[in-house]
Amino acid sequence: MKIKIIYPKWSKLQHQTEFHLPPHGPVVFAAALPRDVDVDFIDENLQDLDFSDPVDLVAISMMLTLQVKRGWEIGDAYRKMGIKVIFGGIAAMLHHEETMAHADAVFLGEAEGRMETVLADFKAGSLKKVYDHMNDPPPIESVGTARRDILSRDLYNYKGVQMVDLVHASRGCRYNCYPCCVAFLGGRKFRPRPVEMAVAEMSAIDNNRLFIVDNSLAQDTEWEKELFREMIPLKKNWCSHPIEDKPEVLDLAARAGAWYVYQAVFDTSDLIRNRIKRYHDYGIGVEGTILLGLDDQSEDDIKRLIDFLLEIDLDLAEFTVLTPFPHTRAYEELKRQNRILTYDWNEYSADKVVFQPKQMSPERLQELHSYAWDTFYRDEPQELKMFKLLKKVVHREMQNNTYRQRDRDRARLKFGKGEASI
């Protein structure tokens, strides 16, 4: 039996340097399939999709709202050919009502231990329209090592430098942040993987640099400390979302190879200033994630926030505008107030204003978003700041004797393509 897993393409953000990381959802899903299934994977951002390839079942994995309309197009095309199509992934869950019109089946929830039943139904010609496991997650111990063997790894290489590999040490989140859909997707419960299983997976990845994609590692202090202790011998370097702001945690994280963290910067308070300083004191870089367009932000507030970012010496910054993704508190509130301007999901890129801000026009917020990028990177372009962050990790790897030379054979290739074609 052959299953083709497809990761639909999406338009890249206007202000960000384009890069491609190996997607996480498809390789985790592939690990939940029986081992006798022949898996073919296409990342449409880097590979051409050939509809003539023979296949028994198509699985479309959608992470971003930006992928859904393209995913639906792909699903419609295969179904017209008489090939069954199943959808899954974060965006499929957020948009499952609409996705059902383009699918033979939609899978909601986590796939571990579930796919044998789905495939049995497929073979019997009795696929259900929806497999809903949203409120019935599998035991966290059943989450195995992702199937990274389905990836064409050479595609995730920039001028001879391999991109970070993605891995997760936990699922779920006990927080319920205003713009975030995690509470809907995984429930408000933190579910850490057994440390030995998470570390074993990290150890087996043939890459010195990882991205730990957990929503937040700062949810269980003792588990977090144990995780970092066990990661120290791996001598890998990694980035992640926030870690706990405690000296003993920061020390262990640094010793375990913390390279940089994504940290939300939501105001100009001393709390934020001091938190960034403590990361830096332990040699951990910071990429600030800055959300613009909240109801309590005026134009002056946004400009003052951007000046503050330069004062606190962030290594990188990523600016987005509030985007009301379905099943978030932001979506429910803005929809109730009739402030959502469009439901064209191709516009939900987090760099386009799709709602009516409270303190300014949509056009002015769009201008301030561009102003934020231009101002923060005026003296040092984004590429230079990224290079400085990379230089730090190279120096650390040289000290640890783990540095891998750039692949000179790929020095003129960007993500599998010639430099001139990018």
Side-chain angles (χ1 to χ4, degrees):
M1 179 181 180
K2 183 176 180 180
I3 295 179
K4 182 186 287 290
I5 303 174
I6 301 171
Y7 194 62
K9 63 185 175 184
W10 73 89
S11 300
K12 300 304 176 280
L13 303 186
Q14 177 183 356
H15 296 280
Q16 285 185 319
T17 300
E18 182 174 343
F19 63 96
H20 299 274
L21 302 182
H24 192 233
V27 297
V28 171
F29 169 72
L33 294 171
R35 297 300 295 189
D36 60 347
V37 172
D38 182 15
V39 178
D40 181 30
F41 173 65
I42 294 293
D43 181 347
E44 207 189 8
N45 294 287
L46 297 170
Q47 298 166 289
D48 293 328
L49 177 58
D50 185 350
F51 286 93
S52 66
D53 283 344
V55 61
D56 298 305
L57 176 66
V58 168
I60 300 177
S61 175
M62 305 189 301
M63 179 180 73
L64 303 173
T65 287
L66 273 181
Q67 293 176 284
V68 298
K69 291 179 75 172
R70 175 56 183 164
W72 297 341
E73 289 177 357
I74 295 170
D76 290 343
Y78 274 109
R79 294 179 79 205
K80 285 180 181 177
M81 297 164 58
I83 297 172
K84 298 294 184 183
V85 176
I86 184 170
F87 281 81
I90 290 172
M93 289 183 258
L94 296 181
H95 300 272
H96 66 270
E97 297 94 341
E98 295 167 282
T99 299
M100 287 171 62
H102 308 272
D104 295 286
V106 178
F107 189 94
L108 308 178
E110 300 172 14
E112 288 82 8
R114 318 289 192 190
M115 293 311 299
E116 288 81 3
T117 298
V118 176
L119 296 183
D121 288 348
F122 166 73
K123 291 174 182 178
S126 57
L127 271 177
K128 297 181 176 63
K129 197 66 178 178
V130 179
Y131 292 86
D132 187 354
H133 297 284
M134 291 286 287
N135 298 312
D136 182 26
I140 195 66
E141 295 80 10
S142 69
V143 177
T145 296
R147 285 276 312 274
R148 294 177 182 84
D149 60 291
I150 70 171
L151 299 171
S152 297
R153 294 186 62 81
D154 290 353
L155 297 178
Y156 305 100
N157 188 290
Y158 179 84
K159 293 187 175 183
V161 177
Q162 193 69 29
M163 294 291 99
V164 296
D165 270 275
L166 280 57
V167 65
H168 67 300
S170 67
R171 289 182 178 173
C173 186
R174 57 189 176 89
Y175 306 112
N176 186 22
C177 298
Y178 180 68
C180 184
C181 58
V182 172
F184 167 77
L185 294 170
R188 293 186 62 183
K189 183 178 180 181
F190 179 60
R191 295 183 292 130
R193 295 176 69 185
V195 166
E196 64 274 13
M197 293 184 68
V199 172
E201 179 167 357
M202 294 178 195
S203 178
I205 298 172
D206 185 23
N207 196 333
N208 282 346
R209 301 167 190 166
L210 306 177
F211 178 10
I212 303 174
V213 296
D214 303 47
N215 299 297
S216 172
L217 292 172
Q219 301 196 62
D220 181 326
T221 303
E222 293 308 311
W223 172 85
E224 188 180 15
K225 288 162 62 176
E226 182 186 356
L227 176 69
F228 295 157
R229 284 193 199 98
E230 295 302 315
M231 289 174 62
I232 291 172
L234 302 182
K235 292 187 177 181
K236 293 182 184 283
N237 293 285
W238 46 273
C239 54
S240 73
H241 295 112
I243 56 181
E244 208 160 358
D245 188 15
K246 294 180 179 179
E248 64 273 24
V249 175
L250 291 168
D251 176 63
L252 284 169
R255 290 163 55 196
W259 176 11
Y260 67 97
V261 296
Y262 293 91
Q263 174 64 52
V265 180
F266 42 81
D267 61 29
T268 59
S269 66
D270 285 342
L271 184 149
I272 294 292
R273 183 189 300 273
N274 293 334
R275 182 159 198 180
I276 304 304
K277 181 180 183 302
R278 281 189 289 273
Y279 279 130
H280 284 158
D281 287 345
Y282 284 91
I284 302 171
V286 182
E287 177 164 357
T289 55
I290 296 89
L291 184 63
L292 307 179
L294 296 168
D295 280 356
D296 62 355
Q297 286 179 336
S298 67
E299 180 174 335
D300 287 342
D301 290 330
I302 291 175
K303 290 180 176 179
R304 189 159 44 246
L305 179 59
I306 297 163
D307 291 339
F308 175 75
L309 302 179
L310 294 168
E311 289 176 19
I312 62 177
D313 198 27
L314 283 180
D315 298 271
L316 290 167
E318 179 183 80
F319 299 93
T320 57
V321 292
L322 177 65
T323 304
F325 295 106
H327 301 287
T328 63
R329 289 167 52 206
Y331 178 85
E332 298 302 329
E333 179 176 302
L334 293 174
K335 184 178 182 181
R336 185 173 62 252
Q337 296 173 357
N338 199 31
R339 292 168 58 190
I340 296 179
L341 303 176
T342 179
Y343 293 93
D344 180 352
W345 304 125
N346 281 347
E347 299 295 302
Y348 279 58
S349 56
D351 67 347
K352 296 177 182 176
V353 182
V354 296
F355 76 106
Q356 174 60 56
K358 189 172 185 178
Q359 301 200 43
M360 64 197 77
S361 68
E363 293 77 15
R364 185 54 182 153
L365 178 56
Q366 193 71 63
E367 291 170 355
L368 287 169
H369 178 256
S370 294
Y371 170 83
W373 281 97
D374 293 343
T375 302
F376 183 82
Y377 290 106
R378 180 177 55 213
D379 296 329
E380 284 189 337
Q382 188 177 21
E383 293 85 352
L384 178 57
K385 286 185 178 289
M386 292 173 69
F387 174 76
K388 290 170 70 174
L389 202 56
L390 177 62
K391 188 176 178 181
K392 289 181 181 179
V393 82
V394 167
H395 178 70
R396 183 189 297 172
E397 289 171 346
M398 287 182 169
Q399 288 181 318
N400 289 337
N401 294 317
T402 60
Y403 175 65
R404 300 184 182 184
Q405 290 282 348
R406 185 172 63 150
D407 186 343
R408 298 293 176 181
D409 293 338
R410 297 191 178 94
R412 296 188 60 81
L413 298 177
K414 294 181 178 180
F415 305 109
K417 298 181 181 179
E419 187 171 351
S421 67
I422 297 293

